[in-house]
Amino acid sequence: MPFASLGLPDALVRAVEERGYRAPTPVQSAAIPAILANADVWACAHTGSGKTAAFALPLLQKCLDGGPAGPNQTQALILAPTRELGIQIGESFRRYARFAPSAVRIVTAFGGVSINPQMMALRGGANILVATPGRLLDLVDHNALRLGGLQTLVLDEADRLLDLGFADELARIFELLPARRQNLLFSATFPPDVHAMAEYLLRDPVRIEASSASSAAPIILQRAIQVDSTRRTQLLRHLIQAHGWTRTLVFVATRYATEHVALKLRRAGIDAAALHGELGPWARSQALTNFKAQRLPVLVATDLAARGIDIELLPVVVNYDLPRSTHDYLHRIGRTGRAGAQGVAVSFISPATEAHFHLIEKRHQFELARETIEGFEVTEMAPSATISSHDAGNPITAIPGNTGGIKGKRKSKKDRLREALGKGSASD
């Protein structure tokens, strides 16, 4: 099925073909006609499924068919959890609009930088506004943005929006939106809080389930290498040098670990940079830009980089620390093996994290043979028992030896979102 069969104009079809897209992915085939028909969409779209184009292309067509937005207004609002994802989405919109017969005003807004240029950009209105929740509210508070004329709301990576604690901001944003609008919700997972938000926002939605990056499944060689926790950096250096890895994305659990591992690699003669949420916007942008441009061979990141960030032809992902959430395992390794390219995903398994990796295998229904690299044989002893605790009757399990802390059910901002969602409906 070609893109033209979805009802897209020649200018947009030409743009996607220039990007090398030959046929729409399953989520694109299902979502594009539904969005053009003004239906609400409830999409379970995993990393690499092509979801950005699934909402960007029909929204651009609507902009081309309609008139300009009024001053300080926008026709379509895309909420993204991080500035990196917001920038990436904005760039995608601009690429797809490259051959448009008329100009499409696209504004990207995020925190950590001066708000003044973003306010200036909105003076003449924007067809498309991509924003993080906090900066969006800043623009509203500065009277730089009015949402009364909004036609379409997109929540991208909805589960990540809640994971990062944006529940209060989302509840306030929903109150500012007009009752009559189109709502598009894309999420890789649908835990109870995301499910509640979807039921609150969406009216008779088209439901879409799509998990693959394309019609062909990703080609990822998964490896599980046993190693003492104290020798992981040495093993990482050995693998990079022995295999000649030119670009490696390394996932660790904490901000401190990103800096520490990157420093150790640089001291060993391997250029590496850290990427985490506490870096300034310039430093984060520079590290990611250099890594994408293949000027930086190793990027050591927290899960900030696991969701939504598209790195073309990334050959290797390493789980230096295992993800606390079993769901995040697929998001991490999904950074490689994209669009039909081959990739390698390596997980370091210490005696203390063996049980947690077995849980990951069980949840995702796969089993990997454990490897041992000569010179890095395991000498540590496995812990005698798993550490556990309880919070309000809910079990919480610590991952021994994993510095990511404890993951469990806790009282959080998400609970207040559920309360806000229960106060009314989108049609009130």
Side-chain angles (χ1 to χ4, degrees):
M1 175 192 297
F3 276 95
S5 67
L6 299 178
L8 296 171
D10 292 343
L12 298 182
V13 173
R14 181 183 173 191
V16 296
E17 289 179 346
E18 184 188 58
R19 297 290 300 164
Y21 305 167
R22 296 292 173 253
T25 65
V27 69
Q28 292 162 2
S29 296
I32 290 174
I35 296 171
L36 289 175
N38 293 315
D40 282 8
V41 170
W42 177 333
C44 181
H46 292 269
T47 183
S49 62
K51 63 179 173 55
T52 301
F55 61 76
L57 293 172
L59 290 183
L60 285 170
Q61 179 170 343
K62 288 186 172 190
C63 293
L64 294 175
D65 292 341
N72 301 110
Q73 296 190 43
T74 185
Q75 294 164 333
L77 168 63
I78 296 90
L79 289 176
T82 66
R83 72 191 76 183
E84 286 79 13
L85 182 55
I87 291 170
Q88 180 177 293
I89 293 171
E91 290 173 348
S92 295
F93 269 97
R94 293 181 183 92
R95 286 196 298 264
Y96 300 143
R98 178 179 175 185
F99 302 112
S102 58
V104 179
R105 289 182 57 84
I106 302 162
V107 175
T108 305
F110 49 86
V113 296
S114 172
I115 196 174
N116 293 329
Q118 297 168 8
M119 293 173 63
M120 292 289 292
L122 286 169
R123 280 189 177 180
N127 299 109
I128 306 289
L129 173 61
V130 185
T132 53
R135 179 46 58 95
L136 179 80
L137 291 172
D138 290 341
L139 291 167
V140 171
D141 291 342
H142 282 79
N143 296 316
L145 176 66
R146 298 192 299 272
L147 296 172
L150 184 73
Q151 299 171 14
T152 303
L153 169 70
V154 182
L155 295 182
D156 193 20
E157 301 281 1
D159 50 355
R160 191 68 172 152
L161 281 164
L162 294 181
D163 285 343
L164 293 178
F166 286 119
D168 289 345
E169 290 86 348
L170 291 174
R172 184 181 166 201
I173 290 169
F174 296 158
E175 293 175 354
L176 299 172
L177 302 178
R180 294 182 62 85
R181 67 180 187 273
Q182 182 181 35
N183 301 286
L184 313 176
L185 189 147
F186 291 80
S187 188
T189 61
F190 277 85
D193 45 8
V194 178
H195 198 280
M197 183 165 62
E199 291 185 333
Y200 166 72
L201 287 175
L202 308 178
R203 284 170 283 192
D204 299 320
V206 174
R207 299 199 180 205
I208 300 169
E209 179 83 24
S211 58
S212 62
S214 66
S215 56
I219 306 171
I220 303 175
L221 172 63
Q222 298 182 63
R223 300 175 61 186
I225 302 179
Q226 294 177 312
V227 60
D228 288 342
S229 60
T230 57
R231 302 200 67 197
R232 287 173 297 173
T233 305
Q234 293 171 280
L235 176 58
L236 175 61
R237 182 182 68 194
H238 169 78
L239 291 173
I240 292 171
Q241 295 173 334
H243 294 289
W245 291 342
T246 56
R247 274 196 306 167
T248 308
L249 177 58
V250 181
F251 283 108
V252 297
T254 66
R255 175 201 64 78
Y256 171 78
T258 66
E259 303 282 1
H260 179 73
V261 174
L263 177 61
K264 290 286 187 181
L265 290 174
R266 289 196 298 270
R267 286 177 175 172
I270 298 174
D271 194 11
L275 179 66
H276 56 79
E278 295 181 32
L279 284 177
W282 184 89
R284 286 167 63 171
S285 176
Q286 191 73 5
L288 194 56
T289 297
N290 287 338
F291 189 65
K292 286 184 175 182
Q294 304 188 42
R295 293 190 294 266
L296 178 71
V298 181
L299 186 65
V300 187
T302 59
D303 280 309
L304 168 74
R307 297 283 290 276
I309 303 301
D310 186 13
I311 303 170
E312 293 185 358
L313 302 177
L314 176 65
V316 185
V317 168
V318 175
N319 287 313
Y320 183 99
D321 289 316
L322 295 180
R324 292 183 297 159
S325 167
T326 58
H327 290 298
D328 284 339
Y329 176 81
L330 291 184
H331 299 309
R332 286 183 177 189
I333 71 170
R335 297 302 97 213
T336 187
R338 297 168 71 87
Q342 292 186 336
V344 177
V346 177
S347 295
F348 290 164
I349 314 296
S350 70
T353 60
E354 173 64 44
H356 185 60
F357 192 72
H358 179 68
L359 178 60
I360 291 173
E361 292 176 307
K362 182 178 179 181
R363 292 283 171 85
H364 297 299
Q365 299 181 341
F366 70 87
E367 186 174 351
L368 300 181
R370 303 300 189 260
E371 302 178 40
T372 300
I373 304 299
E374 184 178 356
F376 294 90
E377 292 81 4
V378 174
T379 61
E380 295 175 349
M381 298 293 292
S384 57
T386 301
I387 303 170
S388 65
S389 182
H390 286 77
D391 181 5
N394 295 312
I396 301 173
T397 301
I399 306 169
N402 207 45
T403 55
I406 296 172
K407 185 172 182 68
K409 295 182 179 178
R410 299 173 173 83
K411 182 80 170 176
S412 69
K413 290 183 178 180
K414 299 177 187 178
D415 298 320
R416 291 194 289 275
L417 175 63
R418 294 192 190 99
E419 295 171 1
L421 298 179
K423 293 178 181 177
S425 67
S427 59
D428 288 348

